[in-house]
């Protein structure tokens, strides 16, 4: 079952289930077939597992869940597939972040827009590092158009631009320090 999920082989996964394999079987790192399918964006297998009742909130040893990993991969299609399973969008990854934080850091524009429009994820959630999605987009982003768009989306969705990091530095101050003039202009409005 685990190999079938990793390979994206829905037929083999279906055969494994028919042969009695548990839908939420775990590997040595406590990853379920659904989590493995999400990691590799194997939509067909994930769809099968979702229909069979796989747990979108199953946590592995790294504190990843299928839902949280959609923020890392930026897969809107996978997020749409998992959303009817009612994933807990408040679960936090090993850094204490929710799905839009890694998505903002990595420049996943479509995912950030979609997740904020279709879930109750907290746009101002502060992770264990003291950063919000807005701060991560500025501090860990590249300042290019992708991150400019993410900053604009976060602001449109009500992100609080005044929340500073642990050192008291705001996203605007970080943008100015990095020479991200377009992002600084968005944040200064």
């Amino acid at each position: 079952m685990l190999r079938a999920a990793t390979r994206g082989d829905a037929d083999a996964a279906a055969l494994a289930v028919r042969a009695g394999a548990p839908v939420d079987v775990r590997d040595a790192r406590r990853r379920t077939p659904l989590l493995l399918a999400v990691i590799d964006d194997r939509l067909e297998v994930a769809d099968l597992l979702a229909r069979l009742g796989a747990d979108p909130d199953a946590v592995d040893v790294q504190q990843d869940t299928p839902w949280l990993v959609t923020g890392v991969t930026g897969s809107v299609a996978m997020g749409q597939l998992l959303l009817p399973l009612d994933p807990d969008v408040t679960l936090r990854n090993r850094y204490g972040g929710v799905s839009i934080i890694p998505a903002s850091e990595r420049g996943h524009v479509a995912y950030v827009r979609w997740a904020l429009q279709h879930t109750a994820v907290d746009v101002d959630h502060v992770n264990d590092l003291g950063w919000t999605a807005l701060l991560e987009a500025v501090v860990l982003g590249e300042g290019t158009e992708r991150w400019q768009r993410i900053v604009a989306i976060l602001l449109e969705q009500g992100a609080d631009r005044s929340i500073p990091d642990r050192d008291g530095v705001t996203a605007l101050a970080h943008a100015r320090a990095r020479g991200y003039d377009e992002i600084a202009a968005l944040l200064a409005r």
Side-chain angles (χ1 to χ4, degrees):
M1 173 67 105
L2 294 163
R3 279 191 306 271
T6 300
R7 287 191 320 259
D9 189 340
D11 292 336
L15 288 173
V17 169
R18 280 191 215 115
V23 172
D24 286 324
V25 65
R26 305 282 186 132
D27 69 9
R29 294 173 55 197
R30 301 211 30 84
R31 297 175 302 184
T32 63
L34 181 58
L35 179 56
L36 292 170
V38 172
I39 289 168
D40 292 323
D41 207 29
R42 307 291 193 178
L43 289 166
E44 189 177 353
V45 173
D47 182 53
L48 169 71
L49 296 168
R51 286 185 279 119
L52 294 171
D55 184 357
D57 298 327
V59 180
D60 74 358
V61 296
Q62 289 192 148
Q63 289 184 272
D64 282 331
T65 69
W67 177 259
L68 284 168
V69 169
T70 63
V72 174
T73 65
S75 177
V76 172
M78 190 65 77
Q80 291 170 328
L81 189 148
L82 294 177
L83 196 55
L85 300 179
D86 195 27
D88 184 349
V89 300
T90 67
L91 288 178
R92 302 170 350 145
N93 63 23
R94 65 188 168 278
Y95 303 108
V98 294
S99 67
I100 62 164
I101 292 179
S104 296
E105 167 203 338
R106 293 167 183 248
H108 296 314
V109 176
Y111 182 89
V112 171
R113 179 182 298 113
W114 174 81
L116 288 170
Q117 290 175 345
H118 294 92
T119 72
V121 68
D122 179 6
V123 71
D124 288 325
H125 176 83
V126 179
N127 68 14
D128 295 344
L129 302 172
W131 293 342
T132 62
L134 186 60
L135 280 161
E136 287 229 0
V138 175
V139 174
L140 299 176
E142 297 175 6
T144 61
E145 183 182 342
R146 283 173 37 203
W147 285 274
Q148 294 164 25
R149 291 172 55 203
I150 286 173
V151 167
I153 291 164
L154 292 168
L155 293 172
E156 288 166 8
Q157 295 297 316
D160 184 347
R161 64 188 85 216
S162 70
I163 297 174
D165 65 17
R166 285 188 181 159
D167 297 321
V169 182
T170 64
L172 176 58
H174 280 292
R176 286 179 174 154
R178 286 167 171 71
Y180 297 164
D181 297 333
E182 295 84 357
I183 290 177
L186 289 168
L187 292 166
R189 288 185 191 158

